[in-house]
Structures are given as structure tokens and as C-alpha cells.
Amino acid sequence: MVDDYLSVAHRDASDGGCPSASLVIDAGRHSDTVQSAYATGVEGYLTSFAEEFAREHEGEITSQEARERAVLLLSRLVGAMALARAVSRVRPELSDEILRTCRAHPLG
């Protein structure tokens, strides 16, 4: 999933790709209604990621640790994609480096 999300194809998708990365800045500048809808989407990602971490590491991590890993992963994915898109036309090598590095180290 990480490799697909942090791919050049996703970065360059004509449909804008994942709305979390496409709308991250705009959501913060809009109404409470828009922010609420965005927060609902973020919560959905976090819940899914945390559930997956809990399944993968059953008995090894707490639900709080699974949630923290989910927050780290989503933040890394969205942040990396937003940065990569922001520089892709003028510094494609930098954009590629951001994607490549974050693919290699998705949780830090």
C-alpha cells in the first residue's frame, strides 16, 4: 500500500489521486463543515490503519501503539505526497527523492 501511495503514478495522477493529500491545506482554510468532512475521512484512514497494525502485531502492541503508528503512517504518506507534488514540475529529482525516501522508511 505504501509503495502504491508514494508512487510517481499516484503523484502525477490526472484525477488528483487521494483527496487527503490533495485537500490537506485547503481543508484547514475552509469552514467547520469542510473541516469536519475532512476529519471524518482522516479518522477513517486512522481507524483502518490502526486495525491493520493491531492485526499484524496481535499481542505485541497495545491499541494506543497501533493508533500512534497509524497517525505516523498517515502523516508520512500525506505529507510526503503533498511535498512531492509541490515541487514535481520544477524539481522532479527532489520530488522523486521525497517519494523514494518515504517509501523506504514509512514509519520513520
Side-chain angles (χ1 to χ4, degrees):
M1 189 277 301
V2 170
D3 288 344
D4 288 341
Y5 191 93
L6 295 177
S7 68
V8 171
H10 182 222
R11 179 196 64 202
D12 297 342
S14 61
D15 66 358
C18 174
S20 289
S22 298
L23 302 174
V24 66
I25 300 301
D26 290 337
R29 295 179 180 160
H30 283 81
S31 68
D32 289 353
T33 302
V34 171
Q35 283 192 19
S36 180
Y38 190 82
T40 298
V42 167
E43 187 61 48
Y45 283 118
L46 293 176
T47 298
S48 294
F49 290 168
E51 288 172 353
E52 185 61 29
F53 284 129
R55 270 193 299 280
E56 288 177 2
H57 303 282
E58 188 173 350
E60 299 171 16
I61 63 173
T62 66
S63 60
Q64 180 61 35
E65 289 168 327
R67 174 70 177 205
E68 289 172 358
R69 288 181 185 196
V71 169
L72 287 170
L73 179 59
L74 183 61
S75 298
R76 175 73 53 97
L77 293 173
V78 171
M81 186 54 64
L83 287 171
R85 286 177 177 163
V87 300
S88 65
R89 285 193 312 275
V90 297
R91 294 279 307 277
E93 72 287 348
L94 176 58
S95 180
D96 291 345
E97 178 186 13
I98 291 165
L99 294 176
R100 183 177 58 254
T101 301
C102 290
R103 274 194 314 272
H105 307 283
L107 289 176

